[in-house]
């Protein structure tokens, strides 16, 4: 508590401001990774706009999760849906960076975003990032993704099966009702929970007995969701 905090970012330009910004942006292309990282962090702290071209080139190859998040923070004010979609799709990138890129992609005011989400769902490997994309598809009624979501119900990854079921439930897909009995008995607690949440949304009275069994268990989130669906 004895050391004062960093000074706030300067709000008034002076005669050398433009030159300084130019030099700083040049340093974002430095061969030394540590130099680039240091400069970017200082630019973010001081509110200095980073050059989009250099940021994009850096993001395409960065493998450090923390640095990816900082590059994406610098990109928040830019409309770059293609770059963000490519980042989400890059399997070698850290999961945290890919998911942050997905969040920013969803926030982009671009008419291409729904189609990009669909394409990502088709090409991504089964895992948490795909699960996050499927979650987004649940609220995109303008997209015809029913077949894709039903296909993902058979994924080897429990999280993907769960998010596919949740998306179908939110979309009110009656075609998914035939999968509920199997998913309510799935080996994964997360999948059983997703199926229990969706049963009431889909009005699937034919699996009410399965919900009664789950509601008598000791998994409190599953009990709550089963009771909610029975009420619905």
């Amino acid at each position: 508590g004895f050391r004062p905090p960093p000074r706030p970012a300067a709000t008034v330009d002076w005669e050398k401001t433009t030159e300084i910004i130019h030099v700083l942006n040049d340093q974002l292309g430095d061969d030394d990774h540590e130099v680039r990282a240091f400069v970017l962090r200082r630019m973010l702290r001081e509110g200095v706009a980073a050059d989009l071209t250099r940021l994009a080139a850096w993001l395409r190859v960065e493998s450090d999760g923390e640095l990816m998040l900082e590059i994406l923070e610098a990109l928040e004010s830019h409309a770059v849906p293609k770059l963000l979609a490519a980042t989400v799709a890059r399997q070698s990138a850290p999961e945290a960076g890919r998911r942050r890129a997905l969040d920013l992609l969803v926030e982009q005011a671009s008419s291409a975003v729904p189609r990009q989400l669909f394409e990502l769902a088709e090409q991504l490997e089964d895992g948490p990032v795909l699960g996050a994309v499927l979650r987004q598809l649940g609220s995109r009624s303008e997209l015809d993704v029913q077949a894709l979501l039903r296909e993902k119900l058979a994924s080897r990854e429990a999280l993907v099966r769960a998010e596919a079921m949740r998306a179908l439930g939110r979309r009110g897909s009656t075609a998914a009702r035939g999968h509920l009995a199997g998913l309510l008995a799935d080996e994964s607690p997360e999948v059983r929970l997703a199926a229990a949440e969706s049963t009431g949304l889909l009005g699937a009275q034919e699996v009410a007995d399965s919900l009664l069994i789950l509601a008598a268990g000791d998994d409190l989130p599953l009990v709550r969701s089963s009771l909610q669906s029975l009420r619905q």
Side-chain angles (χ1 to χ4, degrees):
F2 294 100
R3 178 176 295 175
R7 290 179 300 174
T11 57
V12 179
D13 289 350
W14 68 299
E15 61 184 30
K16 297 293 185 180
T17 295
T18 302
E19 294 179 35
I20 291 172
I21 292 175
H22 179 74
V23 171
L24 289 172
N25 276 303
D26 278 348
Q27 295 302 309
L28 293 179
D30 194 279
D31 291 337
D32 190 319
H33 192 268
E34 292 186 6
V35 170
R36 296 202 308 270
F38 176 79
V39 170
L40 177 62
R41 287 168 181 150
R42 289 302 295 264
M43 292 176 76
L44 288 171
R45 197 187 86 175
E46 300 298 332
V48 178
D51 178 70
L52 176 57
T53 302
R54 293 198 182 278
L55 286 176
W58 187 0
L59 182 61
R60 290 188 182 99
V61 298
E62 183 53 62
S63 59
D64 180 273
E66 184 178 347
L67 267 174
M68 273 193 74
L69 294 176
E70 291 170 339
I71 298 169
L72 289 166
E73 180 183 346
L75 285 170
E76 286 182 9
S77 60
H78 296 281
V80 286
K82 287 185 179 180
L83 174 62
L84 294 172
T87 303
V88 177
R90 184 159 66 93
Q91 293 188 30
S92 61
E95 179 189 329
R98 296 173 72 190
R99 296 188 68 154
R100 180 56 186 153
L102 175 61
D103 291 340
L104 293 177
L105 175 63
V106 172
E107 295 170 10
Q108 298 275 302
S110 169
S111 58
V113 169
R115 183 64 191 174
Q116 287 173 320
L117 290 173
F118 180 68
E119 291 173 353
L120 284 169
E122 289 186 310
Q123 71 184 83
L124 285 173
E125 77 284 5
D126 284 11
V129 179
L130 175 58
V133 172
L134 297 181
R135 192 177 308 127
Q136 291 295 330
L137 294 180
S139 58
R140 300 278 177 170
S141 58
E142 71 273 26
L143 292 174
D144 183 9
V145 293
Q146 305 270 17
L148 183 146
L149 291 172
R150 291 200 302 273
E151 176 187 337
K152 295 303 180 182
L153 292 176
S155 169
R156 291 173 295 178
E157 292 289 331
L159 176 62
V160 173
R161 298 197 300 276
E163 292 301 341
M165 187 66 255
R166 286 192 175 98
L168 287 164
R170 289 196 298 273
R171 296 172 68 94
S173 173
T174 56
R177 288 174 58 161
H179 298 273
L180 284 170
L183 294 177
L184 286 169
D186 194 276
E187 61 182 14
S188 165
E190 183 65 21
V191 175
R192 295 197 298 272
L193 178 62
E197 292 170 357
S198 302
T199 299
L201 297 174
L202 298 176
Q205 297 184 29
E206 63 272 18
V207 294
D209 287 345
S210 296
L211 287 179
L212 286 169
I213 294 173
L214 294 175
D218 54 7
D219 183 332
L220 295 184
L222 186 55
V223 169
R224 181 168 57 248
S225 294
S226 298
L227 291 173
Q228 173 72 358
S229 281
L230 284 166
R231 183 188 66 79
Q232 290 174 316

